[in-house]
Amino acid sequence: MSNPSKAKGTKAESALVAYLNELGYTAERRALGGMFDKGDIVVAELPHVVFECKAVARIELAQYVEELRTEMANAGASVGVLVVKRRGKSNPGEWYWFVQSPAELMVALCSLEQGK
């Protein structure tokens, strides 16, 4: 692969897929979709979730969230997960995980955590 940034992104996506598969999910990388992109990774057991993976030197969270929202709309997904590789960390479980969802869904999830 001649583009170093693309190679770094592919490596991070592959690591994330392997991590999700180790957790018992059926995950795989998606083909590039251009303006109709539906995220980087698809998980069979989570059909309404879009995963976007970034491996960058400088985090541009607002830009990535807008990209994730577009991909969620393209995929008809109600939840988006942005996973950003942390420098010096090879385990995706130690990377930054951000979730984009409707407020009602996030509040309901937090309520479940509190046992309500």
Side-chain angles (χ1 to χ4, degrees):
M1 190 174 290
S2 62
N3 182 332
S5 293
K6 189 171 180 102
K8 191 165 42 167
T10 297
K11 184 176 178 181
E13 290 172 14
S14 296
L16 182 56
V17 164
Y19 178 76
L20 291 168
N21 287 333
E22 287 171 14
L23 292 177
Y25 295 98
T26 308
E28 63 183 39
R29 291 181 61 231
R30 284 191 195 260
L32 295 175
M35 65 185 280
F36 300 108
D37 194 5
K38 296 178 181 179
D40 295 326
I41 295 167
V42 61
V43 178
E45 296 84 358
L46 305 171
H48 299 291
V49 179
V50 167
F51 285 83
E52 179 68 18
C53 185
K54 297 291 184 187
V56 294
R58 184 167 182 248
I59 298 174
E60 301 284 346
L61 189 56
Q63 175 186 333
Y64 304 151
V65 169
E66 285 307 311
E67 180 181 343
L68 183 62
R69 286 180 175 170
T70 299
E71 292 169 351
M72 289 169 62
N74 289 344
S78 54
V79 175
V81 179
L82 169 64
V83 184
V84 182
K85 184 183 182 308
R86 289 177 60 193
R87 193 174 292 187
K89 303 288 185 184
S90 60
N91 179 355
E94 297 177 336
W95 297 356
Y96 300 115
W97 292 62
F98 303 94
V99 177
Q100 173 66 42
S101 74
E104 300 83 11
L105 182 57
M106 187 58 70
V107 169
L109 180 61
C110 291
S111 295
L112 286 174
E113 180 65 24
Q114 296 299 318
K116 293 183 179 181

